[in-house]
């Protein structure tokens, strides 16, 4: 347990230190003003920062309320509980101290029992905050790790972009070897920004899941593969499927969405959620790159948007 006492009166500092030490609160450092305290804090390593700060209200070089506000505005110090120690019992000071971010308030003359109770409670607050921070960091780290390991998009449950890339590489090789066709469907929800704006992000998320589901409902073969390509954009990889088959599946996807008829409150082209689809197909040449096929589906999608949306272009 580390304490920092900031007070211009040497007698006050000594008194607080002595009482707290005698009551088993461990070592306390002290500073005779805010400037000295800041200098001390700034050169203290993160793990050795104080757990609680006792701040005098009136000091020649600073007002304790302003000092607390300054301290709390620095991310490095926001979590350190500050107890204002003052001879003033004016309500404005009490109000000002709490508004500045002080966690507690003790009036001088300080009573041993009150001092220990308040410092102890601030110390427990700090411990809880530290533990919460550790748990949050750990959770963040685990989430990042899981995402990196996972091949699935967290929201829709379909494959993520990375999984798509590796599957395309595999299927590309195989189709090149077998001289089989392969097609790609780039699928983008129409006016989805407006959907979010009208219904909120959570409804937007639900819509994304429903669209992913509808697309998969249109699939006919186990090898048909769907990935979330980006925000509201999906890509379907259809092995052993030529342009004609790709366009047929694109129409089946549109039909699924028409059947689902999810209301879109602000689409210029339909009363329900629609998608635009760019289709590209090829028989891969051995040694050729797959990226031009992805680019071709993207270009076709762009044309479908230009042509008025809710369209299939190849
Ligand atoms: P267009 O018809 O031209 O495709 O218009 P659009 O509004 O669908 O396209 P735009 O690219 O302007 O906006 C895409 C929107 O998709 C903006 C973004 O907030 C939203 N979006 C992207 N990812 C998510 C997500 O995970 N959840 C939600 N709710 N919205 C998302
Ligand atoms: Mg003073
Ligand atoms: Mg867009
Ligand atoms: Mg869109
Ligand atoms: Mg888009």
């Amino acid at each position: 347990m580390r304490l920092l006492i900031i007070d211009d009166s040497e007698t006050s500092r000594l008194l607080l230190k002595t009482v707290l030490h005698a009551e088993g609160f461990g070592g306390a450092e002290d500073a005779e003003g805010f400037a000295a305290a800041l200098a001390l804090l700034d050169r203290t390593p993160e793990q050795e920062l104080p757990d609680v700060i006792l701040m005098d209200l009136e000091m020649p070089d600073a007002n304790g309320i302003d000092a607390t506000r300054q301290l709390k505005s620095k991310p490095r110090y926001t979590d350190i509980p500050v107890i204002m120690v003052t001879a003033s019992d004016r309500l404005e000071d009490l109000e000002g101290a709490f508004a500045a971010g002080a966690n507690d308030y003790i009036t001088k003359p300080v009573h041993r029992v009150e001092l220990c109770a308040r410092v102890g409670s601030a110390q427990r607050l700090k411990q809880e905050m530290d533990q919460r921070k550790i748990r949050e960091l750990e959770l963040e780290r685990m989430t990042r790790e899981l995402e990196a390991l996972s091949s699935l998009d967290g929201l829709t449950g379909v494959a993520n972009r990375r999984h798509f890339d590796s599957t395309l590489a595999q299927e590309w090789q195989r189709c090149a070897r077998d001289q089989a066709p392969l097609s790609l469907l780039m699928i983008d929800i129409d006016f989805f920004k407006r959907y979010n704006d009208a219904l909120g992000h959570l409804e937007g998320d639900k819509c994304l899941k429903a669209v992913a589901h509808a697309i998969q409902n249109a699939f006919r073969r186990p090898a048909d593969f769907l990935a979330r390509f980006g925000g509201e954009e999906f890509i379907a990889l259809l092995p052993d499927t030529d342009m004609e088959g790709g366009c047929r599946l694109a129409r089946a996807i549109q039909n699924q969405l028409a059947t689902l008829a999810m209301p879109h409150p602000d689409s210029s082209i339909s009363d329900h959620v629609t998608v635009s689809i760019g289709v590209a197909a090829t028989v891969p040449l051995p040694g050729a790159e797959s990226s031009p096929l992805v680019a071709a589906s993207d270009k076709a999608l762009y044309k479908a948007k230009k042509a008025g949306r809710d369209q299939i272009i190849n």
Side-chain angles (χ1 to χ4, degrees), residues 7-312:
D7 201 309
D8 61 307
S9 147
E10 195 175 357
T11 321
S12 279
R13 293 199 303 270
L14 200 63
L15 184 78
L16 289 169
K17 250 181 151 170
T18 314
V19 172
L20 288 164
H21 186 74
E23 292 295 329
F25 280 99
E29 295 212 73
D30 61 285
E32 59 182 9
F34 186 52
L38 258 190
L40 174 67
L41 286 170
D42 285 345
R43 64 171 185 268
T44 304
E46 186 87 32
Q47 319 86 282
E48 290 167 29
L49 284 174
D51 299 296
V52 179
I53 293 175
L54 292 159
M55 174 90 78
D56 183 23
L57 180 73
E58 279 158 11
M59 296 175 287
D61 81 331
N63 172 298
I65 294 176
D66 295 334
T68 301
R69 189 177 302 111
Q70 261 194 63
L71 213 56
K72 290 282 180 178
S73 74
K74 295 178 199 285
R76 193 169 128 94
Y77 306 132
T78 15
D79 285 349
I80 307 176
V82 172
I83 302 175
M84 195 70 70
V85 185
T86 168
S88 156
D89 55 3
R90 299 190 323 160
L91 271 181
E92 299 108 271
D93 287 336
L94 187 74
E95 204 177 2
F98 282 112
N103 301 77
D104 209 344
Y105 198 93
I106 306 179
T107 43
K108 292 178 188 175
V110 171
H111 294 286
R112 188 183 53 84
V113 176
E114 185 187 6
L115 178 67
C116 294
R118 293 195 189 276
V119 171
S121 133
Q123 181 187 16
R124 282 190 295 279
L125 176 71
K126 177 64 167 35
Q127 276 167 353
E128 273 164 29
M129 281 194 296
D130 285 351
Q131 263 154 23
R132 183 167 349 128
K133 216 189 300 170
I134 290 168
R135 279 198 300 273
E136 274 166 10
L137 285 175
E138 178 71 1
L139 201 65
E140 256 172 46
R141 193 187 58 74
M142 275 162 38
T143 309
R144 270 199 310 277
E145 248 176 39
L146 271 177
E147 270 171 8
L149 286 172
S150 163
S151 55
L152 299 184
D153 169 56
L155 177 67
T156 60
V158 304
N160 61 20
R161 178 74 173 267
R162 203 162 26 90
H163 193 189
F164 168 78
D165 288 340
S166 59
T167 306
L168 175 62
Q170 258 174 31
E171 288 300 329
W172 186 262
Q173 292 274 334
R174 192 186 60 74
C175 289
R177 207 170 50 233
D178 299 351
Q179 282 301 282
L182 177 154
S183 53
L184 288 182
L185 271 49
M186 193 73 86
I187 307 158
D188 186 290
I189 304 178
D190 298 320
F191 299 115
F192 193 58
K193 190 183 173 315
R194 292 194 202 165
Y195 189 92
N196 272 323
D197 290 346
L199 299 177
H201 225 76
L202 284 180
E203 287 303 313
D205 284 355
K206 281 190 205 162
C207 177
L208 278 169
K209 287 190 221 180
V211 168
H213 197 243
I215 296 170
Q216 283 176 314
N217 265 346
F219 283 180
R220 285 291 160 260
R221 298 180 186 175
D224 293 345
F225 178 90
L226 182 65
R228 186 161 173 207
F229 199 70
E232 27 79 79
E233 223 164 297
F234 295 92
I235 190 161
L237 164 62
L238 314 168
D240 303 308
T241 306
D242 59 11
M243 181 60 88
E244 201 192 320
C247 290
R248 199 181 314 125
L249 192 77
R251 285 191 296 275
I253 291 170
Q254 280 188 323
N255 289 338
Q256 283 289 336
L257 284 168
T259 309
L260 193 61
M262 247 180 303
H264 190 315
D266 193 19
S267 164
S268 308
I269 49 160
S270 170
D271 54 9
H272 68 262
V273 172
T274 58
V275 294
S276 297
I277 305 178
V279 188
T282 194
V283 176
L285 290 171
E289 291 277 325
S290 62
S291 52
L293 187 67
V294 179
S297 67
D298 198 37
K299 204 169 158 197
L301 168 65
Y302 180 75
K303 285 186 187 158
K305 292 282 180 188
K306 283 261 158 187
R309 297 179 176 81
D310 194 17
Q311 309 266 332
I312 299 164

